[in-house]
Amino acid sequence: MGTSAEEILGATRREGKRLMDLWWQEMTEAAQTGRPTAYVFAMGSMAELLRTFDFVLNFPEITSLQIAVRGQSQAYIQTAEDYGFSPDVCGYVKADVGLQLRQGEHPYGKVPRPSLVVTSNVCNTYIKWSEIWEHLYGCPVFVVDLPGWRGRDSADLDGETFHNDARYVLGQLQELIGLCEQVTGKRFDVDRFREHLAEANRMAELYHAVCETNRHVPAPFNAVVEGVTYQGIAHLYRGSPEGSRYFQQVLREMQERIRLGMAAVPDERFRLVLVGTTCYSHFRRFVELFASWGGVFVHSTYMVFAGGGFVPGFAYDLSRPLESFAERMVTAAYWGYTGSMFYQQDWLDDVVRRWHVDGICFHGVKSCRTVSTGLPDVREWMRVQRNVPGLFIQSDLVDPRLWSDAQVKNRVDAFFEALAAHKAARR
Amino acid sequence: MDELERIFDDLRALVEDPSFPAVRRWLAQNPGGKVVGSFQVFFPEEIAHAAGMLPLKIAGAGGTIQVRQADARIAAFVCSIVRSSLELALSGRLDFLSVMVIPNICDAARNACGVWVRSFPHMRVETLYHPHNAASAHAVDYLTGEYRRIGRILEEVGGRPITDEALRASIALFNENRRLLREVYRIKRETPWLLSAVESYLLVRSAGLMPREEHNALLRRVLELLPQRPVKKQDRIRVVFEGGFCEQPALDMLAVIQNACYIVDDDLMIGLRWITEDVPLEGDPWRNLADSYLNRSSYSPVQRDPRKPKAEMLLRRIRESGAEAAIVAAAKMCEPGLEEQVHYARALEAAGIPHLVMEFEESMTVFEQVGMEVETFAESLLFQFA
């Protein structure tokens, strides 16, 4: 490994691109050969289990996001709206419907048809989205129902609520295994499953270690820019040796950046958390608006709820793989998904303290109620209860028609002016 | 004014009064009594009743109040019912609530639960996870556990244990209510001229706003009076109204539709009619409630049950009610409703069933456009059927 800044910065980026290209190659080949493909979602993907059956995994959130980053989402969304979908429906869904109606032709390759759809209720729109494929292709759809955070009843991981939930999830996983056996004609191999769990354990540990490096001042990576790649690889390669190797490399690079005093944003002045997601149709611009003020995103709720379902401190117990897998699903649903989205004040409180955060950016996504509904309320809670300033801006995930550059810039600029005054007053 | 008209006038006043007068009456008669609010779509009210509490269905405020404070807490692109329900609480109109339960029906509702938790630290606010894998062999066991969890919370708040006997007695009371409401819908289907869409709506909606004992007595009296009503059948098309499972259209919107059509079936306030048969009284009452939610129940866009493909369920509703057409509505910003609407419209098209697609909002105040659309739709069909 080189030590010059350019070499260090380039290595992880190059490897991330190579892995992403490999995934697209696999998908495109599957579209030609008919290899069994499972459509799954970022939250609750069950990748470790599906890998045991050799499914190609398609993540439609990722393919939709990539359409937007390539600047082509408007045309795809328009196709879905012409089909009947309302402007108020999730932009990811509509970009994907446009993709499906174009026979899977994507700017990066070809998306195969689903042999099986596996979803969860972590985002309820996932279920409606899956039903669209069910209508289009008549493919089997399996919902793994993951009961989420229920206040004090969920706090006790030895309690009745947790055990009731874990039993329910385990039962569903056994049903899903039966369905996978039917679809692929393969028997479930518990030893292969165990190997995937072991790899996921390694990756989870490394993923958290990478997130922790950003507690350093200045932050070595931007949780929005690099963070998106990390999440992408965490999903596509979770449970595989390639995935663990990648995060080993990322961790080394971050440690090296810290050693060399390299910062993700030169002249870091403000440390921020992003709540929600960015706007992928204006991805570069979104980041630039903050970076131009010396603002770096040191963490994001996205890296938690969409970060592979890893729960800090949780490792699969390989001696009871399926039970342990069910338990991780439940804890991820409690803490990672619903905890960081619907009851996010506790998570924010912790991150503000440990990552030395100056302010929070709440990005309301017009077509995504999952990440957006309660943002104004959380912003107010953090301001009043914790004296942490928050910015609330609004656009969309992938719909460029909902991005208003002048409005967003005005609000961002005003926020930084206020943030500077606030920071000075706290000194 | 005859007795029926007076009853419907009173019910309209009750439904449109955001101060919840029937609840306040109950509290006056039951000093220290506890009220359990629940959001759409379904909540097993029997559990609250068996705990000696009054279950209250919170289904938005219609256009009766102005949403001010809630807009500062919830993003503007969220459906109206989530915002107006919160406004009811923030404005002090729900100060009598001891517990609020918000089922996990959609992403906005689940977020709303977090907002309620932060906004009302002295109220017990709970989310209730109904299974989204309704066909799983494990769903009944899970839901039984979840109902018992809610039961434990109500016992804690109410300070009184929920015995199996008490729960069975409550189930019997609610079974009677469900039977009477089924009778209301039989009349809608068979003799829709005897009962307008607005009137039948008031009969259903009021179930969630007053003690069920009172509501049962009211329904019995209405059902006694209806056959004697001096009204004649008119030449109107028979339609099913679909899309009112959560946010509710304004009463005036239903009135505009009923001026042109007979609404012979619908999914308005479907949660109060969710269980379609009697809940068994023998055996474990908790399990019986869970089993009935999953296996003796209606359908809606917010429940995933592969045994109940929704477009097919709508076609069945149309067939069984003898409807000639459908109005497929969706509340503005309601993602599940809007997504389902596409499937519904395509299935209706494939089946050759005329349909009208529309959006609504509970706080709508102008109905000329809706009226014109429905009249044009109805007239074109009358001409076609003639």
Side-chain angles (χ1 to χ4, degrees), chain B residues 178-369:
Chain B
R178 286 185 278 265
R179 186 189 68 74
L180 292 166
L181 287 174
R182 287 199 295 273
E183 192 57 18
V184 167
Y185 270 70
R186 187 189 62 75
I187 291 174
K188 267 171 81 102
R189 281 194 303 275
E190 293 177 3
T191 51
W193 51 92
L194 288 181
L195 184 66
S196 76
V198 170
E199 290 164 348
S200 77
Y201 178 77
L202 292 171
L203 290 175
V204 179
R205 176 86 184 257
S206 56
L209 296 170
M210 62 169 73
R212 275 310 200 288
E213 293 84 347
E214 271 180 43
H215 195 252
N216 280 352
L218 174 91
L219 287 179
R220 275 192 285 271
R221 182 63 184 145
V222 168
L223 289 168
E224 208 175 279
L225 293 170
L226 276 178
Q228 305 153 27
R229 216 172 190 189
V231 281
K232 284 185 186 165
K233 179 182 176 182
Q234 293 186 348
D235 189 18
R236 296 188 192 183
I237 62 157
R238 297 166 60 90
V239 301
V240 159
F241 180 92
E242 191 83 11
F245 58 94
C246 180
E247 184 164 327
Q248 299 299 295
L251 286 174
D252 289 341
M253 178 169 152
L254 292 178
V256 160
I257 296 171
Q258 79 185 10
N259 286 342
C261 323
Y262 284 132
I263 299 180
V264 291
D265 206 345
D266 58 59
D267 65 345
L268 296 160
M269 296 298 296
I270 194 70
L272 291 167
R273 300 179 290 120
W274 181 259
I275 295 175
T276 52
E277 300 166 35
D278 282 359
V279 177
L281 295 174
E282 306 77 33
D284 177 1
W286 301 89
R287 192 175 176 81
N288 289 343
L289 278 174
D291 190 41
S292 296
Y293 172 81
L294 291 161
N295 297 319
R296 284 179 281 274
S297 52
S298 189
Y299 67 97
S300 93
V302 294
Q303 190 205 37
R304 164 75 188 170
D305 187 340
R307 300 166 305 176
K308 296 190 274 189
K310 286 171 278 284
E312 280 176 36
M313 298 301 286
L314 171 60
L315 294 177
R316 190 198 290 181
R317 181 174 273 162
I318 291 169
R319 216 169 35 240
E320 289 177 356
S321 62
E324 296 149 314
I327 294 177
V328 186
K332 193 162 175 50
M333 307 287 183
C334 168
E335 182 133 28
L338 289 167
E339 280 162 339
E340 206 63 63
Q341 199 177 37
V342 179
H343 300 317
Y344 283 152
R346 290 195 167 256
L348 290 165
E349 209 170 298
I353 296 171
H355 57 280
L356 178 65
V357 172
M358 62 165 67
E359 261 187 41
F360 69 88
E361 201 168 12
E362 60 168 17
S363 55
M364 275 167 72
T365 51
V366 179
F367 302 98
E368 278 81 4
Q369 179 72 21

Side-chain angles (χ1 to χ4, degrees), chain A residues 105-134:
Chain A
E105 294 298 339
H106 188 281
Y108 291 148
K110 192 167 169 80
V111 174
R113 287 182 167 211
S115 318
L116 170 69
V117 174
V118 181
T119 178
S120 74
N121 61 321
V122 171
C123 162
N124 283 293
T125 299
Y126 284 169
I127 300 173
K128 308 308 292 178
W129 195 347
S130 302
E131 288 174 349
I132 296 172
W133 299 317
E134 192 175 41

Side-chain angles (χ1 to χ4, degrees), chain A residues 82-91 93 121-129 131-132 134-135 141-153 160-161 164-165 167-168 170-172 174-175 338 341-345 364-378 380-381 392 394-395, chain B residues 71-79 82 104-119 124 126-139 141-146 148-149 152-153 156 300-306 310-311 332-340 342-343 346 359:
Chain A
D82 292 346
Y83 188 80
F85 287 94
S86 160
D88 295 330
V89 162
C90 168
V93 171
N121 61 321
V122 171
C123 162
N124 283 293
T125 299
Y126 284 169
I127 300 173
K128 308 308 292 178
W129 195 347
E131 288 174 349
I132 296 172
E134 192 175 41
H135 286 281
V141 169
F142 193 94
V143 178
V144 180
D145 191 16
L146 300 174
W149 176 252
R150 275 160 287 162
R152 67 178 97 158
D153 291 330
E160 203 170 328
T161 299
N164 190 43
D165 292 353
R167 269 194 305 273
Y168 177 40
L170 177 62
Q172 293 178 80
Q174 285 159 338
E175 290 171 338
T338 53
M341 277 195 285
F342 313 122
Y343 309 95
Q344 58 198 196
Q345 65 275 11
V365 175
K366 194 244 174 188
S367 72
C368 178
R369 283 94 195 159
T370 307
V371 299
S372 310
T373 298
L375 296 190
D377 182 63
V378 182
E380 193 59 8
W381 196 93
F392 183 71
Q394 196 171 301
S395 67
Chain B
D71 277 355
R73 294 178 190 244
I74 286 188
F77 41 80
V78 171
C79 63
V82 163
N104 166 38
I105 55 165
C106 66
D107 302 321
R110 188 161 42 173
N111 263 297
C113 190
V115 176
W116 280 64
V117 165
R118 284 186 290 273
S119 301
R124 191 74 193 252
E126 284 294 325
T127 185
L128 163 61
Y129 275 82
H130 275 118
H132 270 301
N133 188 351
S136 167
H138 306 274
D141 280 346
Y142 158 74
L143 186 56
T144 305
E146 183 68 351
R148 284 185 183 275
R149 181 182 75 84
R152 284 194 298 274
I153 291 164
E156 193 185 306
S300 93
V302 294
Q303 190 205 37
R304 164 75 188 170
D305 187 340
K310 286 171 278 284
K332 193 162 175 50
M333 307 287 183
C334 168
E335 182 133 28
L338 289 167
E339 280 162 339
E340 206 63 63
V342 179
H343 300 317
R346 290 195 167 256
E359 261 187 41

Side-chain angles (χ1 to χ4, degrees), chain A residues 31 44 58-60 65 157 179 209 219 235 259 262 272 288 314-315 324 329 334 344 349 367 373 386 405:
Chain A
N58 174 35
F59 288 84
L65 175 166
L157 295 186
L179 182 58
H235 288 301
R259 193 182 67 80
M262 290 172 60
L272 308 167
E288 183 187 284
F314 186 100
S324 185
M329 285 278 167
Y334 283 3
Q344 58 198 196
D349 199 17
S367 72
T373 298
R386 297 290 180 267
D405 197 74

Side-chain angles (χ1 to χ4, degrees), chain A residues 389-404:
Chain A
L391 163 71
F392 183 71
I393 51 172
Q394 196 171 301
S395 67
D396 198 69
L397 283 166
V398 291
D399 191 339
R401 299 168 301 183
L402 296 167
W403 175 270
S404 166

Side-chain angles (χ1 to χ4, degrees), chain A residues 180-207:
Chain A
C180 291
E181 289 181 333
Q182 259 180 40
V183 171
T184 61
K186 291 181 180 174
R187 298 282 296 168
F188 176 60
D189 180 343
V190 74
D191 293 323
R192 280 196 67 197
F193 180 54
R194 199 178 275 118
E195 284 165 22
H196 294 309
L197 294 186
E199 288 295 349
N201 275 348
R202 276 190 275 280
M203 187 198 265
E205 202 177 311
L206 291 161
Y207 184 86

